[in-house]
């Protein structure tokens, strides 16, 4: 399932350092703008403690976690929408992703230069927001010009609805607000808005890159970001990228855990970021469990059983008969598949069953 999160931000905010922590890819992390010219793609393993607990009971030959793709996109600068700093190429890279991880510099360090001279995450955020919004205004106005006449002179209801939706989005963009802040009441309106494929309609996670002292509770910069985005449909995560790069060097789990405990964290920022990126893409996980393997499979929230079966193989979807479903909590409580069955806790579901996150599935099919 090729859904991607794109990491964006101004130059020298810690994007590539964070990307390296995520994927161990060899993106350069240098103290000057545009050290990342081509977007780097990392296929990142999604941490899932449920697999480990299941494996302790099942004792499979292997554990196979699911993954999410992260793209490191080169730093944007003011004027990107007009092509400044290779802007058109970078904006095209963003357009190809499904969600945005927007890294903001929230730390002081005189040894790491800032492209605008001083530390101000709100200004940095607004620079990138403005560039994306300007590009979206171009898109919306082009679409409005196509439907405006039809909506006013003919009886074309679709054109009238599209014109109203596009106009509402344009008004928000002209106010300096992103498209994702605009809400609609009907499915038809939402569909019309989605068909624009706007940059600022993509779900976004603001990643506040802080110093070690601020890794747990944040700092004044993080507080200002929280205040700035409180009315925006977005999430915030605090990460100390420099510390994360040090954590990544530990090969032994216990050593990483000890390091995290020393700075007051229960889980690494990288793990939290991956989980939130997965959630940002509206992805969930179901599990297949057996002696050969305990494996996580990715599906989009709201999918029904046959669609989820198709993730394993298209034949599973085509010939779907039924799904045998065990809730993760029941498997852990009873200790084995047989014990769950004896307790009457395994359900048999048909084509209309909406798969839930953490469901342990076994599909019956016939092709």
């Amino acid at each position: 399932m090729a859904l991607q999160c794109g990491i964006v931000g101004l130059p020298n905010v810690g994007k590539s350092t964070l990307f390296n922590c995520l994927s161990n890819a060899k993106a350069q992390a240098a103290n000057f703008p545009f050290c990342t010219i081509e977007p780097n793609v990392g296929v990142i393993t999604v941490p899932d403690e449920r697999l480990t607990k299941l494996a302790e009971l099942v004792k499979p030959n292997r554990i196979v976690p699911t993954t999410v793709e992260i793209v490191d996109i080169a730093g944007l600068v003011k004027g990107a929408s007009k092509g400044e700093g290779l802007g058109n190429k970078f904006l095209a890279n963003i357009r190809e992703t499904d969600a945005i991880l927007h890294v903001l510099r929230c730390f002081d360090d005189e040894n790491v230069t800032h492209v605008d001279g001083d530390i101000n995450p709100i200004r940095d955020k607004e620079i990138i927001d403005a560039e994306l919004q300007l590009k979206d205004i171009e898109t919306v106005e082009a679409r409005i010009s196509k439907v405006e006449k039809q909506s006013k002179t003919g009886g074309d209801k679709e054109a009238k609805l599209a014109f109203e939706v596009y106009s509402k989005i344009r008004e928000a963009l002209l106010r300096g607000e992103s498209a994702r802040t605009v809400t609609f009441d009907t499915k038809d309106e939402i569909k019309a808005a989605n068909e624009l494929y706007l940059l600022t309609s993509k779900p976004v996670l603001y990643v506040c890159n802080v110093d070690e002292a601020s890794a747990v509770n944040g700092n004044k910069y993080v507080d200002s970001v929280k205040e700035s985005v409180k009315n925006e449909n977005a999430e915030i995560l605090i990460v100390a990228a420099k510390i994360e790069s040090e954590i990544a060097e530990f090969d032994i789990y216990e050593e990483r855990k000890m390091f995290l405990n020393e700075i007051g964290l229960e889980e690494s920022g990288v793990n939290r970021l991956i989980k939130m990126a997965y959630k940002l893409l509206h992805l969930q996980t179901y599990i297949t469990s057996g002696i050969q393997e305990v494996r996580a499979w990715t599906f989009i929230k709201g999918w029904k059983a046959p669609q989820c079966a198709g993730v394993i193989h298209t034949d599973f979807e085509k010939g779907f008969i039924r799904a045998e479903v065990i809730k993760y909590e029941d498997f852990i409580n009873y200790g084995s598949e047989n014990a769950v069955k004896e307790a009457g806790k395994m359900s048999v579901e048909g084509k209309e069953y909406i798969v839930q996150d953490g469901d342990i599935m076994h599909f019956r099919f016939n092709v």
Side-chain angles (χ1 to χ4, degrees), residues 185-214:
D185 300 322
T186 69
K187 289 183 179 179
D188 288 339
E189 289 175 334
I190 294 170
K191 182 183 176 184
N194 289 341
E195 287 172 350
L196 290 170
Y197 299 103
L198 298 177
L199 298 171
T200 64
S201 67
K202 296 178 186 292
V204 63
L205 169 65
Y206 290 106
V207 182
C208 296
N209 184 15
V210 301
D211 53 24
E212 180 179 348
S214 309

Side-chain angles (χ1 to χ4, degrees), residues 67-91:
T67 59
V68 63
E69 290 189 8
I70 308 287
V71 185
D72 181 24
I73 298 170
L76 292 176
V77 295
K78 190 179 293 185
S81 60
K82 297 180 176 64
E84 295 291 332
L86 304 179
N88 289 332
K89 186 176 179 64
F90 301 159
L91 290 168

Side-chain angles (χ1 to χ4, degrees), residues 165-181:
V165 167
Y166 300 164
S167 297
K168 188 174 180 180
I169 293 173
R170 179 175 62 179
E171 289 171 9
L173 291 169
L174 290 173
R175 290 195 301 269
E177 299 169 3
S178 295
R180 63 180 161 272
T181 64

Side-chain angles (χ1 to χ4, degrees), residues 77-248:
V77 295
K78 190 179 293 185
S81 60
K82 297 180 176 64
E84 295 291 332
L86 304 179
N88 289 332
K89 186 176 179 64
F90 301 159
L91 290 168
N93 293 148
I94 294 172
R95 194 176 297 283
E96 291 169 5
T97 64
D98 302 284
I100 296 173
L101 308 177
H102 188 160
V103 182
L104 297 169
R105 179 170 170 175
C106 295
F107 66 90
D108 294 304
D109 187 341
E110 61 184 19
N111 295 317
V112 181
T113 60
H114 190 287
V115 70
D116 283 323
D118 62 338
I119 310 305
N120 186 335
I122 304 307
R123 177 202 58 212
D124 295 353
K125 170 190 174 300
E126 290 174 350
I127 287 172
I128 288 186
D129 283 351
E131 296 305 324
L132 301 184
Q133 289 161 8
L134 286 168
K135 206 66 181 174
D136 279 351
I137 288 170
E138 288 181 20
T139 301
V140 172
E141 289 186 338
R143 294 291 286 274
I144 284 176
S145 66
K146 290 183 177 179
V147 299
E148 186 170 13
K149 189 174 181 180
Q150 291 172 280
S151 69
K152 292 181 177 178
T153 58
D156 191 332
K157 291 183 179 179
E158 285 188 14
K160 186 174 186 298
L161 180 140
F163 177 73
E164 291 171 353
V165 167
Y166 300 164
S167 297
K168 188 174 180 180
I169 293 173
R170 179 175 62 179
E171 289 171 9
L173 291 169
L174 290 173
R175 290 195 301 269
E177 299 169 3
S178 295
R180 63 180 161 272
T181 64
V182 183
T183 57
F184 297 100
D185 300 322
T186 69
K187 289 183 179 179
D188 288 339
E189 289 175 334
I190 294 170
K191 182 183 176 184
N194 289 341
E195 287 172 350
L196 290 170
Y197 299 103
L198 298 177
L199 298 171
T200 64
S201 67
K202 296 178 186 292
V204 63
L205 169 65
Y206 290 106
V207 182
C208 296
N209 184 15
V210 301
D211 53 24
E212 180 179 348
S214 309
V216 178
N217 298 315
N219 54 31
K220 63 180 182 181
Y221 298 126
V222 175
D223 293 339
S224 67
V225 173
K226 288 180 178 178
E227 179 65 24
S228 175
V229 305
K230 65 181 181 182
N231 296 321
E232 192 176 328
N233 185 19
E235 302 280 349
I236 292 178
L237 179 68
I238 301 171
V239 172
K242 188 176 180 181
I243 297 302
E244 294 295 326
S245 64
E246 293 178 19
I247 294 171

Side-chain angles (χ1 to χ4, degrees), residues 228-276:
S228 175
V229 305
K230 65 181 181 182
N231 296 321
E232 192 176 328
N233 185 19
E235 302 280 349
I236 292 178
L237 179 68
I238 301 171
V239 172
K242 188 176 180 181
I243 297 302
E244 294 295 326
S245 64
E246 293 178 19
I247 294 171
E249 292 177 6
F250 290 109
D251 294 326
I252 302 172
Y253 173 79
E254 286 73 18
E255 290 181 350
R256 291 199 302 269
K257 194 71 177 173
M258 191 181 300
F259 188 92
L260 286 168
N261 290 338
E262 285 177 3
I263 59 176
L265 292 173
E266 293 184 6
E267 186 178 24
S268 75
V270 163
N271 278 10
R272 288 181 285 120
L273 176 56
I274 296 169
K275 290 177 180 178
M276 290 187 76

